[in-house]
């Protein structure tokens, strides 16, 4: 018994390998470019249900905690310099701003995806808590976000 030579219906040709290599090289170069030339944000925009709750300046040093509570009366944002006591009777999200980055520290949602998200610090990055419909997004703080749409529409 000897080895049988396998015959493929669609053999990979040299042109296919060149095309795959070019695609991988392009993806690698774009990844490096976007990693090296990220712009660090200066503000964090906090919104819930599409309504902007707060615009927070990102400090260069120190840690500040923000507790977002969702009650029957609405949503409130509270600022703390130390780790606050977490509520048990209402829905909440706690995020910390440390050295220019934002990290979701705690939430009472079931999936905890927002809590396990890495800290964000570059313009355009965001942490989203879907069960509470809460979004924390990093911006550069210079332009009005609504004017972007108006510029495109004009």
């Amino acid at each position: 018994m000897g080895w049988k030579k396998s015959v493929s219906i669609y053999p990979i040709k040299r042109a296919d390998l060149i095309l795959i290599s070019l695609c991988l090289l392009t993806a690698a170069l774009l990844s490096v470019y976007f990693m090296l030339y990220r712009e660090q944000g200066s503000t964090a925009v906090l919104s819930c249900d599409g309504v902007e709750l707060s615009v927070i300046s990102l400090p260069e040093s120190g840690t500040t905690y923000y507790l977002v509570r969702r009650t029957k009366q609405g949503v409130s944002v509270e600022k703390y310099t130390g780790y606050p006591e977490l509520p048990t009777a209402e829905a909440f999200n706690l995020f910390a701003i440390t050295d220019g980055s934002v990290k979701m520290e705690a939430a009472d949602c079931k999936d905890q995806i927002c809590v396990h998200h890495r800290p964000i610090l570059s313009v355009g990055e965001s942490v989203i808590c879907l069960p509470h419909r809460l979004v924390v997004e990093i911006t550069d703080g210079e332009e009005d976000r609504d004017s972007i749409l108006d510029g495109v529409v004009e």
Side-chain angles (χ1 to χ4, degrees):
M1 251 193 192
W3 290 90
K4 291 185 179 180
K5 185 176 181 182
S6 73
V7 178
S8 174
I9 297 173
Y10 302 107
I12 295 179
K13 297 183 173 132
R14 184 175 181 198
D16 295 334
L17 292 175
I18 291 172
L19 180 63
I20 292 169
S21 299
L22 286 175
C23 289
L24 289 174
L25 179 65
T26 302
L29 289 175
L30 285 173
S31 297
V32 169
Y33 175 78
F34 287 124
M35 284 181 178
L36 292 177
Y37 295 103
R38 291 188 302 188
E39 181 183 350
Q40 184 154 350
S42 61
T43 59
V45 178
L46 176 65
S47 59
C48 185
D49 289 330
V51 177
E52 189 174 288
L53 297 175
S54 183
V55 177
I56 303 164
S57 177
L58 299 178
E60 295 295 325
S61 63
T63 301
T64 307
Y65 294 93
Y66 290 87
L67 180 64
V68 181
R69 296 177 190 244
R70 180 182 282 271
T71 61
K72 292 178 182 177
Q73 291 80 20
V75 180
S76 65
V77 181
E78 301 167 9
K79 180 180 177 180
Y80 295 92
T81 55
Y83 198 91
E85 184 176 330
L86 300 177
T88 57
E90 64 233 359
F92 72 90
N93 288 79
L94 176 70
F95 63 94
I97 298 179
T98 306
D99 301 331
S101 68
V102 179
K103 168 95 173 100
M104 190 72 68
E105 292 287 329
D108 69 331
C109 54
K110 290 181 181 181
D111 57 13
Q112 297 288 299
I113 293 173
C114 58
V115 176
H116 297 299
H117 194 283
R118 66 176 176 78
I120 58 173
L121 56 100
S122 299
V123 173
E125 293 182 324
S126 60
V127 176
I128 301 169
C129 181
L130 285 177
H132 295 153
R133 299 182 299 274
L134 181 76
V135 177
V136 181
E137 181 182 8
I138 304 294
T139 63
D140 59 4
E142 293 178 5
E143 61 185 31
D144 184 20
R145 295 178 344 151
D146 292 333
S147 67
I148 296 171
L149 179 63
D150 292 341
V152 172
V153 173
E154 290 177 358

